Amino acid sequence: MPLRTHLALLTAGLAAVTCLTAAGPAQATSHACSPSVSIDRFSDALDKTTYDDTFVGNLSALAVDRDGSLAALSDRSSLFRLDARTLGPRSVTPLADETGAALDSEGLVVDRDGTYLVTSETEPSVRRYSRTGEILDRLPVPDDLRVSPAGRGQPNGTFEGLTLLPGGRTLVASMEYPLAGDPADTVRFQTWTRHGSHFRPAARYTYRTDPGLGVPEIQATPDGRLLVLERGFTAGVGNTVRLYLADPRHAMKKTLLTDLVTCPSLGATAKQPQPNPLLDNIEGMTITGRTKGTLKVLLVSDDNQNAAQTTRFYFLRVRV
């Protein structure tokens, strides 16, 4: 091969490598959803299954437990522990309020002592549970966040997301929908700060959603920013699910990471109309790992124990 031709090919090869490096891992794979997000795979393995006579579905929150397993919270008052690799259930723990009644449980954090912090959007509330499901504490909630008529919260629209910021001193809960009297695109993020073994109410943030969408989940990144899921549903069309990065240190300014409609479907099928058959009613999110500036993010959909919906896990890689 002539030297001139060899150099030309070498230059072209280096240019291609440079292009892929600049684009990042999400663009370097056919599984790219956007320049920042790619999807490795999905799993419907738990759809319409039972474990220990308990329906495995209605999943609204995920967290990585102390032993590396996954904690998966059902909004029907069941807390599952799943194998992180196979998603197979290992145990289920029933939860209840102080009277023994079921919760509309939506948000989940595994605290540094291994206890569980769980939101319910009924009141709303944040309770601390032992590993075996006993109530240990109940966090104070500002009066205006309570469901009407006690406060300005909308029924079925209060505490959905829950996360601990790095360092474990600040807990953040996200409202799903606006308070009565607030603009239609405004939801509140309430924080608590740790004082000994208890949390006390602290700062509150305002977050602007896209038109018609609510906030089903938030997750703190290692640098103190927040991954924010926004979600909506249109009958006959399907779900809209977008993933944003927001910074509470900078007036909750948000950056779109991806609209999941742009992800490759990977052969997924939908039981009802969807703009992408991969989509469903996604509610839960957790960060399962980190490599070279990329977060491994796991999502799960809430099937509402409905034959037209699917319990589906989504394995993403997210550059932040």
Side-chain angles (χ1 to χ4, degrees):
M1 178 185 298
L3 179 59
R4 183 182 305 170
T5 304
H6 178 80
L7 289 174
L9 290 173
L10 179 60
T11 301
L14 288 173
V17 171
T18 301
C19 179
L20 286 178
T21 302
Q27 286 186 332
T29 171
S30 61
H31 289 183
C33 305
S34 73
S36 299
V37 177
S38 63
I39 180 168
D40 287 340
R41 59 189 177 95
F42 72 91
S43 174
D44 296 348
L46 296 186
D47 187 43
K48 306 302 183 287
T49 60
T50 58
Y51 173 80
D52 197 18
D53 297 322
T54 304
F55 182 77
V56 184
N58 306 296
L59 300 181
S60 294
L62 298 170
V64 177
D65 218 328
R66 291 188 304 173
D67 61 357
S69 65
L70 290 171
L73 180 67
S74 162
D75 61 19
R76 310 293 174 89
S77 291
S78 295
L79 181 60
F80 296 93
R81 289 179 62 242
L82 309 177
D83 184 283
R85 185 178 61 84
T86 67
L87 301 178
R90 293 179 176 178
S91 67
V92 59
T93 302
L95 303 177
D97 68 11
E98 291 80 358
T99 69
L103 306 172
D104 187 353
S105 39
E106 299 287 351
L108 173 67
V109 160
V110 180
D111 205 357
R112 55 195 186 189
D113 63 356
T115 58
Y116 300 106
L117 293 164
V118 175
T119 69
S120 172
E121 64 176 354
T122 304
E123 309 95 339
S125 63
V126 183
R127 294 179 177 87
R128 183 187 297 277
Y129 290 86
S130 72
R131 304 285 294 180
T132 52
E134 291 83 15
I135 297 175
L136 303 176
D137 193 13
R138 182 166 173 170
L139 278 59
V141 173
D143 288 342
D144 66 327
L145 300 184
R146 298 187 183 280
V147 171
S148 176
R152 297 197 291 133
Q154 296 187 42
N156 201 38
T158 59
F159 292 163
E160 280 271 338
L162 192 67
T163 191
L164 263 180
L165 295 184
R169 289 190 51 80
T170 302
L171 184 71
V172 187
S174 59
M175 304 286 281
E176 183 177 14
Y177 296 121
L179 296 173
D182 280 353
D185 65 347
T186 299
V187 297
R188 308 298 183 124
F189 286 18
Q190 177 65 44
T191 73
W192 292 259
T193 54
R194 192 188 299 271
H195 296 267
S197 59
H198 301 282
F199 283 97
R200 297 176 186 169
R204 188 182 300 179
Y205 299 102
T206 297
Y207 178 86
R208 303 283 186 180
T209 63
D210 291 352
L213 302 185
V215 177
E217 188 61 284
I218 56 175
Q219 188 67 210
T221 65
D223 64 2
R225 292 179 290 175
L226 296 172
L227 294 177
V228 182
L229 270 179
E230 295 191 24
R231 177 203 57 186
F233 177 77
T234 303
V237 177
N239 289 98
T240 298
V241 184
R242 295 173 184 152
L243 181 62
Y244 281 93
L245 183 65
D247 196 337
R249 298 161 298 188
H250 296 284
M252 293 300 288
K253 180 181 178 181
K254 70 178 189 179
T255 302
L256 179 65
L257 296 174
T258 193
D259 186 325
L260 268 70
V261 75
T262 64
C263 292
S265 64
L266 304 181
T269 58
K271 301 173 184 176
Q272 60 181 331
Q274 289 286 358
N276 179 336
L278 185 71
L279 293 176
D280 212 286
N281 180 40
I282 298 174
E283 283 204 15
M285 172 172 61
T286 191
I287 296 171
T288 61
R290 174 176 52 165
T291 56
K292 297 181 180 179
T294 299
L295 303 177
K296 294 181 179 180
V297 176
L298 182 64
L299 309 178
V300 69
S301 60
D302 176 359
D303 74 335
N304 290 307
Q305 211 158 338
N306 184 332
Q309 295 176 285
T310 302
T311 296
R312 177 169 290 166
F313 289 80
Y314 304 77
F315 297 79
L316 306 182
R317 294 181 185 268
V318 179
R319 293 176 62 209
V320 295

